[in-house]
C-alpha cells in the first residue's frame, strides 16, 4: 500500500493549463468514482482550486499507480497537448509531506493564506461522500486538518496583512484596538477606498461618511454602506467625526493641509485619528503626521508594511516546516502498522504466547509429565497453530498484490486485536470531521 | 520553624517568577500559545509560593507582617503580581508579563538584601489605622507601577506607528487605545487606595506626632498624590490622552519609586 500524489499547481503550470484541468463541484462525485475504479487505485481525493489541481491516492504499486493517475489526468484534460511535463509526482513520505505543506498554505501563491484549509476539507468531504476514502485517507486527512490548524495557531503565518487594504485594517487596529463603533470617512469615492471601507465595516466600523467633489456620487456610495454623504466643501468640519479617514481623490494638490488638521484635532479634542492616503499624487500633506495623535500612512508606507509582513510570513514558514516534519513522522509510524510482514510476525507472536501460556497451565496441572510427553505436546500444539495460521498468512501475502490488500491487513489486526484503539471510533471521528468542518474558512487578511 | 518556611517559599517564589520571565521573553520573540499558558501558570504558581511565604511570616511575627523593608518590598512585589493576574482575562495584556517580571525581581532582590529576623520589629504596626495604612498602600503602588509600564509600552508603540516601523514591538504590543485605556484604569483604581493611605496615616499621625507634615516623605507623597489627581482631572475633564498623559503616569511612578528608595536608606517616617 502506497500513498501517492500527483497534480499541477501555479508553481508548475501556467494558467492556460490549470484552467483546462479542473474538476467542477457538480461532477466531482463522478470523477472520484472513476478514479477509484482504476485498476491500481483504492482511495482517492481530488483537490481542485484555482491555483492547483491535485489527486491524492492510495495505490498498491507506485509506478502502476502513477501511470493510472497520468491516464486519468489526460482523460480529464480538455486540450490536446502533453500534460506530463507540468505534472509533479510524490510518493510515500514525500506525498504526505506535500499534503501537509499544501494544507499549511506553505505551497500557496501567498504563503499563509487561509482559504486552502477549507478547500482541502471540502475536497475530503466530497471524497468521503462518494466513499472513495477508507482507513488510510480517513486517517491522513484528519491529521492533515490538525496540521493546518496547528500551523495557524502555533505560528504567526497568517497573522499579518499582505494586501494594501488589509494592511490599513491592521494599522487601524494597532491604533484603536477594537474597531467596533468607530467611524470612517471616505474622501473621494474610488474602487480602492470602497474596498478598504468594506473591510473596515466587516471589522466592526459602524459609521461611514462619504465626501466627494461630485455630491451625487457620494450619495450613491453612501447608500452602498448605509452611510451618510457629507459636503466636500466642509471637509475639515465633517472630518472631526471620523476616527479613520481614507483619501483617494484625483486632486492635483493636497486636499487636507496642516491648517485643516489643526481645526479637526481641536474639534476632536485630540482624540487619535488614523489617516490613509492612497491617492497619487497624495491628498494629505505629510506634515500632518507631526500632529499629536495623528497617524498618517500613504500608499508607500502601506506597501512597506505589506513587504515586512511578507518577510515575517516566510520566517514563520520555517517554523511551520518543523511542525510538519514531526507530523509526517507521526503519520508514517501509524501507516507502518498496515504492512503485511510486521502484521504476520505480530500474529505469530500472539499465537505463540497463547500456546506457551496454555502449555504452562497444563504442566502445572500434571506435574509428572515425562520429557517425551512434553515434547509430544509441544509438537502437537505447534502443529495446530502453524496449520491454522498457514492459510490466512498466505492469503494475506497474496492480497498485498491487490489494490485493497491493506484492508485485509486492517481487518486481520482488528479481528485478532493486534492494535489498541477502535476502528469504529476512528470512522466516527472522520464522519464528524466532515460534518463539522466543511464551511469555507474566511480569510481575514486578504491573502486568498 | 515558621521563619524557615518564609525563606524557602520566598526563594521558591523568586525562582518561579524568574522561570515565568523566561517564558514571557520566549512568548515575546516567538508567539507560541503554549508559552503564554506556561508563563501565566508559572506566575500564578510563584504568586502562590509568595503568599505562603507571607502567611508563614505572619505566623512567625504574630501580626500582619508589613513593617520594615523586607516585608514592605515583598508585599509591593506581591501586589504587582496580584493586579497583573487579575488583568489576565484581557489576554492582550499577557505581554505585560515580560516587562513586569524584571521589576518584581528587583523588588524581591531589595527585599532580600534588607531581610530582618522577626524579633527586630517594633510595636508601631499594632495599630488598626497603621494596619489599614500599610495594607492599602501596596495596592496603590502596584496599580501605579502597572499604569507606568503600560504608559511606557504606549510610548514605544506610539513611536512605532508614527515612524511607520513594522517590527517585533509593533506586532507584539497591544493597540494604543488598549494601552492608554488600561493605564488610565490602573491609575483610577490606585488613586483611591492612595487616598485611603494618606487619610489613615494622617489620622494616626495627628494623634501622636504634631509636626508630622514636615516629614519629607509625607511631603513627597502628597506631591505624588496631586500629580495623579491632576492626571485623573485632565483625563476626565479635559479628555487628555496619548503621549502627554503617558509621561505623567511615568513621572508619578518614578516619584513613588524614588520615595521608596529614599525609605530604604532613611527608615520610614522621620517621626516614626
Amino acid at each position: 500500500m502506497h500513498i501517492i500524489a500527483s497534480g499541477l499547481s501555479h508553481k508548475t503550470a501556467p494558467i492556460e493549463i490549470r484552467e483546462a484541468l479542473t474538476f467542477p463541484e457538480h461532477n466531482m462525485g463522478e470523477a472520484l468514482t472513476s478514479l477509484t475504479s482504476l485498476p491500481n487505485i483504492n482511495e482517492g481525493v481530488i483537490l481542485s482550486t484555482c491555483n492547483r489541481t491535485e489527486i491524492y491516492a492510495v495505490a498498491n504499486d507506485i509506478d502502476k499507480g502513477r501511470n493510472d493517475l497520468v491516464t486519468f489526468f489526460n482523460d480529464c484534460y480538455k486540450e490536446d497537448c502533453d500534460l506530463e511535463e507540468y505534472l509533479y509526482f510524490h510518493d510515500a513520505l514525500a506525498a504526505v509531506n506535500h499534503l501537509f505543506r499544501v494544507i499549511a498554505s506553505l505551497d500557496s501563491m501567498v504563503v499563509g493564506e487561509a482559504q486552502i484549509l477549507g478547500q482541502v476539507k471540502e475536497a475530503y468531504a466530497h471524497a468521503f461522500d462518494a466513499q472513495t476514502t477508507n482507513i488510510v485517507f480517513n486517517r491522513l486527512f484528519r491529521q492533515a486538518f490538525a496540521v493546518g490548524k496547528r500551523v495557524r495557531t502555533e505560528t504567526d503565518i497568517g497573522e499579518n496583512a499582505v494586501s494594501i487594504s488589509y494592511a490599513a485594517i491592521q494599522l487601524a487596529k494597532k491604533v484603536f484596538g477594537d474597531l467596533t463603533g468607530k467611524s470612517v470617512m471616505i474622501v473621494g469615492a474610488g474602487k480602492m477606498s470602497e474596498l478598504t471601507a468594506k473591510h473596515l465595516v466587516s471589522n466592526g466600523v459602524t459609521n461611514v461618511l462619504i465626501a466627494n467633489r461630485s455630491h451625487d456620487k457620494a450619495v450613491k456610495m453612501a447608500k452602498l454602506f448605509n452611510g451618510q454623504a457629507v459636503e466636500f466643501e466642509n471637509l475639515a468640519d465633517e472630518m472631526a467625526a471620523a476616527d479613520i479617514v481614507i483619501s483617494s481623490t484625483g486632486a492635483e494638490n493636497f486636499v487636507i493641509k496642516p491648517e485643516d488638521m489643526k481645526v479637526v484635532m481641536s474639534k476632536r479634542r485630540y482624540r487619535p485619528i488614523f489617516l490613509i492616503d492612497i491617492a497619487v499624487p497624495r491628498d494629505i500633506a505629510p506634515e500632518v503626521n507631526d500632529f499629536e495623535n495623528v497617524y498618517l500612512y500613504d500608499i508607500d508606507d502601506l506597501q512597506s508594511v505589506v513587504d515586512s509582513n511578507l518577510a515575517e510570513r516566510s520566517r514563520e514558514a520555517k517554523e511551520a516546516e518543523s511542525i510538519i516534519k514531526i507530523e509526517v513522522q507521526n503519520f508514517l509510524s501509524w501507516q507502518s502498522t498496515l504492512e503485511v510482514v510486521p502484521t504476520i510476525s505480530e500474529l505469530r507472536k500472539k499465537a505463540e504466547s497463547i500456546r506457551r501460556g496454555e502449555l504452562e497451565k497444563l504442566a502445572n496441572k500434571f506435574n509428572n509429565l515425562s520429557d517425551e510427553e512434553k515434547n509430544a505436546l509441544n509438537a502437537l500444539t505447534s502443529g495446530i497453530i502453524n496449520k491454522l495460521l498457514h492459510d490466512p498468512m498466505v492469503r494475506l501475502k497474496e492480497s498485498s498484490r491487490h489494490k485493497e490488500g491493506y484492508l485485509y491487513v486492517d481487518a486481520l489486526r482488528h479481528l485478532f486485536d493486534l492494535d489498541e484503539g477502535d476502528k469504529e471510533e476512528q470512522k466516527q471521528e472522520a464522519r464528524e470531521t466532515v460534518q463539522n468542518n466543511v464551511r469555507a474558512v474566511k480569510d481575514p487578511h486578504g491573502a486568498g | 520553624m515558621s521563619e524557615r518556611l518564609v525563606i524557602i517559599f520566598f526563594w521558591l517564589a523568586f525562582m518561579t517568577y524568574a522561570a515565568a520571565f523566561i517564558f514571557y521573553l520566549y512568548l515575546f520573540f516567538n508567539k507560541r500559545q503554549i508559552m503564554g499558558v506556561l508563563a501565566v501558570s508559572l506566575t500564578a504558581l510563584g504568586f502562590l509560593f509568595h503568599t505562603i511565604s507571607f502567611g508563614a511570616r505572619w505566623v512567625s511575627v504574630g501580626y500582619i507582617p508589613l513593617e520594615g523593608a523586607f516585608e514592605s518590598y515583598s508585599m509591593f512585589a506581591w501586589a504587582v503580581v496580584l493586579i497583573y493576574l487579575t488583568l489576565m482575562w484581557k489576554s492582550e495584556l499577557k505581554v505585560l508579563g515580560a516587562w513586569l517580571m524584571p521589576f518584581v525581581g528587583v523588588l524581591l532582590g531589595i527585599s532580600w538584601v534588607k531581610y530582618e529576623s522577626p524579633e527586630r520589629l517594633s510595636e508601631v504596626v499594632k495599630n488598626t489605622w497603621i494596619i489599614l495604612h500599610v495594607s492599602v498602600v501596596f495596592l496603590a503602588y502596584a496599580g501605579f507601577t502597572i499604569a507606568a509600564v503600560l504608559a511606557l509600552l504606549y510610548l514605544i508603540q506610539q513611536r512605532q506607528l508614527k515612524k511607520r516601523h513594522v517590527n517585533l514591538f509593533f506586532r507584539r504590543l497591544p493597540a494604543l487605545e488598549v494601552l492608554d485605556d488600561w493605564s488610565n484604569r490602573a491609575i483610577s483604581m490606585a488613586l483611591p487606595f492612595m487616598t485611603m493611605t494618606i487619610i489613615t496615616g494622617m489620622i494616626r499621625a495627628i494623634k501622636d506626632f504634631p509636626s508630622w507634615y514636615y516629614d519629607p516623605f509625607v511631603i513627597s507623597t502628597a506631591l505624588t498624590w496631586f500629580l495623579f489627581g491632576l492626571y485623573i482631572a485632565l483625563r476626565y475633564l479635559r479628555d487628555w490622552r496619548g503621549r502627554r498623559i503617558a509621561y505623567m503616569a511615568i513621572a508619578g511612578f518614578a516619584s513613588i519609586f524614588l520615595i521608596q528608595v529614599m525609605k530604604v536608606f532613611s527608615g520610614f517616617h522621620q517621626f516614626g
Side-chain angles (χ1 to χ4, degrees):
Chain A
M1 185 270 302
H2 304 278
I3 295 172
I4 56 177
S6 182
L8 45 79
S9 75
H10 60 97
K11 289 191 172 157
T12 63
I15 180 85
E16 305 83 58
I17 307 291
R18 296 205 306 272
E19 67 193 1
L21 185 70
T22 56
F23 294 88
E25 214 174 314
H26 56 87
N27 56 17
M28 190 58 114
E30 218 174 288
L32 282 161
T33 320
S34 68
L35 173 67
T36 49
S37 64
L38 291 167
N40 300 294
I41 308 291
N42 193 52
E43 297 184 37
V45 171
I46 301 176
L47 176 63
S48 180
T49 75
C50 47
N51 285 331
R52 67 181 66 247
T53 301
E54 289 180 333
I55 293 177
Y56 294 88
V58 175
N60 55 322
D61 182 284
I62 292 177
D63 292 326
K64 286 179 190 158
R66 177 182 194 153
N67 290 337
D68 276 0
L69 290 187
V70 172
T71 319
F72 183 79
F73 274 132
N74 277 321
D75 288 348
C76 299
Y77 189 54
K78 291 182 195 107
E79 305 289 317
D80 202 29
C81 90
D82 190 17
L83 200 55
E84 241 183 306
E85 62 174 304
Y86 300 110
L87 290 177
Y88 45 77
F89 182 82
H90 302 292
D91 63 67
L93 183 147
V96 175
N97 192 57
H98 180 72
L99 172 64
F100 288 180
R101 290 191 78 247
V102 166
I103 202 164
S105 87
L106 297 180
D107 201 48
S108 298
M109 205 178 253
V110 177
V111 171
E113 53 103 359
Q115 280 170 340
I116 188 67
L117 183 56
Q119 287 163 336
V120 177
K121 278 178 179 169
E122 222 163 302
Y124 172 69
H126 278 303
F128 190 82
D129 290 342
Q131 295 180 332
T132 63
T133 67
N134 209 315
I135 49 168
V136 176
F137 275 4
N138 287 346
R139 175 91 182 203
L140 175 67
F141 279 83
R142 206 150 40 83
Q143 198 179 335
F145 303 147
V147 171
K149 208 176 151 201
R150 242 191 103 182
V151 166
R152 292 202 82 76
T153 52
E154 291 180 26
T155 74
D156 265 353
I157 198 158
E159 274 304 293
N160 299 297
V162 288
S163 72
I164 297 276
S165 55
Y166 276 103
I169 311 284
Q170 187 187 11
L171 288 162
K173 281 188 174 166
K174 278 293 175 195
V175 175
F176 298 110
D178 192 2
L179 297 182
T180 310
K182 300 287 177 209
S183 311
V184 60
M185 179 182 227
I186 301 171
V187 183
K191 272 276 157 270
M192 185 74 173
S193 47
E194 190 184 316
L195 182 67
T196 312
K198 235 179 224 161
H199 294 329
L200 282 168
V201 169
S202 69
N203 273 284
V205 167
T206 40
N207 209 359
V208 182
L209 305 169
I210 294 137
N212 197 48
R213 265 196 219 285
S214 113
H215 195 69
D216 294 347
K217 218 171 162 191
V219 173
K220 220 164 148 195
M221 197 166 166
K223 273 198 193 118
L224 206 68
F225 287 107
N226 220 350
Q228 191 190 341
V230 299
E231 293 296 329
F232 193 82
E233 284 66 38
N234 294 340
L235 202 57
D237 287 334
E238 302 285 358
M239 226 166 97
D243 301 299
I244 302 163
V245 176
I246 308 165
S247 191
S248 65
T249 74
E252 293 286 317
N253 300 315
F254 292 138
V255 176
I256 298 163
K257 299 182 206 63
E259 53 269 29
D260 301 322
M261 214 55 215
K262 223 175 206 167
V263 179
V264 173
M265 286 317 277
S266 97
K267 263 192 115 174
R268 280 181 71 73
R269 307 190 83 180
Y270 298 93
R271 276 177 298 124
I273 189 166
F274 179 50
L275 307 175
I276 306 157
D277 185 358
I278 43 184
V280 180
R282 287 176 294 177
D283 280 345
I284 306 176
E287 301 83 54
V288 162
N289 192 49
D290 300 334
F291 281 64
E292 191 68 38
N293 290 340
V294 175
Y295 301 94
L296 167 65
Y297 280 72
D298 66 28
I299 191 93
D300 279 4
D301 300 330
L302 292 174
Q303 187 56 51
S304 76
V305 170
V306 168
D307 292 344
S308 124
N309 285 346
L310 282 170
E312 172 77 6
R313 281 195 182 195
S314 51
R315 269 194 295 278
E316 291 298 306
K318 285 201 192 93
E319 195 69 33
E321 296 278 7
S322 62
I323 293 176
I324 287 171
K325 218 174 193 176
I326 297 165
E327 294 283 348
V328 169
Q329 284 311 319
N330 286 346
F331 181 79
L332 291 183
S333 72
W334 172 80
Q335 199 196 350
S336 67
T337 64
L338 288 182
E339 279 170 24
V340 172
V341 178
T343 303
I344 287 177
S345 86
E346 271 175 64
L347 183 60
R348 274 197 159 285
K349 235 184 252 162
K350 178 159 185 170
E352 184 63 19
S353 87
I354 292 171
R355 188 183 76 87
R356 277 176 194 278
E358 294 303 311
L359 272 181
E360 225 162 84
K361 268 193 224 156
L362 193 79
N364 288 341
K365 233 183 216 168
F366 304 97
N367 43 16
N368 50 356
L369 289 174
S370 69
D371 279 354
E372 205 179 331
E373 285 167 322
K374 276 184 188 164
N375 286 341
L377 273 172
N378 232 331
L380 171 72
T381 47
S382 298
I384 291 175
I385 280 180
N386 286 340
K387 287 223 164 102
L388 195 61
L389 291 185
H390 179 262
D391 288 340
M393 286 177 180
V394 171
R395 291 278 161 91
L396 203 61
K397 278 180 190 156
E398 273 172 12
S399 77
S400 68
R401 284 195 286 274
H402 303 297
K403 67 179 190 179
E404 65 284 326
Y406 65 97
L407 297 179
Y408 289 95
V409 178
D410 183 58
L412 185 109
R413 296 187 80 94
H414 180 63
L415 290 175
F416 286 91
D417 194 21
L418 296 179
D419 309 297
E420 320 82 75
D422 193 2
K423 285 276 141 49
E424 255 324 291
E425 209 173 279
Q426 278 185 18
K427 203 165 178 198
Q428 181 59 34
E429 273 179 54
R431 202 169 290 131
E432 279 166 16
T433 312
V434 166
Q435 282 160 359
N436 292 339
N437 288 320
V438 185
R439 40 191 158 82
V441 180
K442 269 199 180 164
D443 185 355
H445 302 292
Chain B
M1 180 58 215
S2 181
E3 197 53 26
R4 186 179 295 167
L5 280 182
V6 173
I7 295 165
I8 291 172
F9 278 98
F10 182 92
W11 280 108
L12 275 177
F14 185 86
M15 308 289 256
T16 321
Y17 290 145
F21 175 58
I22 293 168
F23 285 108
Y24 281 119
L25 275 185
Y26 193 91
L27 180 71
F28 193 78
F29 288 104
N30 275 299
K31 187 201 112 193
R32 303 287 169 263
Q33 230 75 38
I34 185 73
M35 292 300 152
V37 175
L38 276 171
V40 174
S41 314
L42 280 171
T43 311
L45 183 67
F47 183 72
L48 181 72
F49 292 151
H50 203 159
T51 312
I52 293 173
S53 168
F54 176 74
R57 180 77 172 185
W58 196 327
V59 171
S60 142
V61 179
Y63 48 83
I64 189 164
L66 290 173
E67 203 204 345
F70 169 67
E71 292 169 0
S72 303
Y73 279 92
S74 170
M75 196 57 194
F76 189 172
W78 185 85
V80 169
V81 179
L82 174 72
I83 293 179
Y84 171 70
L85 286 174
T86 58
L87 287 179
M88 268 312 86
W89 65 270
K90 181 97 185 162
S91 62
E92 266 179 286
L93 297 175
K94 209 182 273 173
V95 61
L96 201 57
W99 304 76
L100 277 177
M101 283 305 135
F103 184 69
V104 167
V106 168
L107 289 179
L108 288 179
I110 299 176
S111 168
W112 183 249
V113 169
K114 302 297 271 185
Y115 174 78
E116 298 148 301
S117 59
E119 300 81 43
R120 287 187 49 244
L121 298 171
S122 70
E123 298 285 295
V124 177
V125 178
K126 286 186 175 173
N127 174 293
T128 320
W129 290 116
I130 294 301
I131 290 175
L132 258 176
H133 178 68
V134 292
S135 306
V136 290
V137 71
F138 295 108
L139 285 174
Y141 283 0
F144 292 137
T145 305
I146 284 177
V149 173
L150 286 168
L152 178 71
L153 298 186
Y154 175 92
L155 291 174
I156 296 174
Q157 182 70 298
Q158 197 262 354
R159 214 183 129 80
Q160 308 298 331
L161 275 163
K162 273 279 190 205
K163 303 255 174 216
R164 297 148 187 153
H165 289 161
V166 183
N167 53 19
L168 190 69
F169 287 90
F170 167 82
R171 289 181 213 287
R172 292 289 187 271
L173 296 182
L176 287 182
E177 231 166 61
V178 171
L179 292 166
D180 190 49
D181 184 37
W182 282 88
S183 178
N184 173 45
R185 284 184 203 213
I187 289 176
S188 307
M189 177 224 72
L191 195 64
F193 285 126
M194 183 82 170
T195 314
M196 269 168 74
T197 307
I198 292 176
I199 293 172
T200 49
M202 268 161 62
I203 292 173
R204 173 76 185 94
I206 288 168
K207 212 170 129 209
D208 289 336
F209 310 102
S211 59
W212 58 275
Y213 42 83
Y214 284 134
D215 181 58
F217 184 40
V218 170
I219 293 165
S220 50
T221 302
L223 286 174
T224 309
W225 186 86
F226 276 114
L227 185 65
F228 282 118
L230 188 66
Y231 175 102
I232 295 287
L234 287 171
R235 178 97 196 182
Y236 289 100
L237 302 178
R238 304 303 313 263
D239 213 11
W240 270 34
R241 54 189 70 222
R243 226 149 45 108
R244 282 179 295 182
I245 207 123
Y247 283 129
M248 280 182 79
I250 292 170
F253 166 75
S255 108
I256 280 176
F257 196 69
L258 281 179
I259 295 170
Q260 284 296 310
V261 173
M262 218 162 75
K263 251 166 53 173
V264 176
F265 295 105
S266 65
F268 283 76
H269 300 281
Q270 293 206 336
F271 51 81

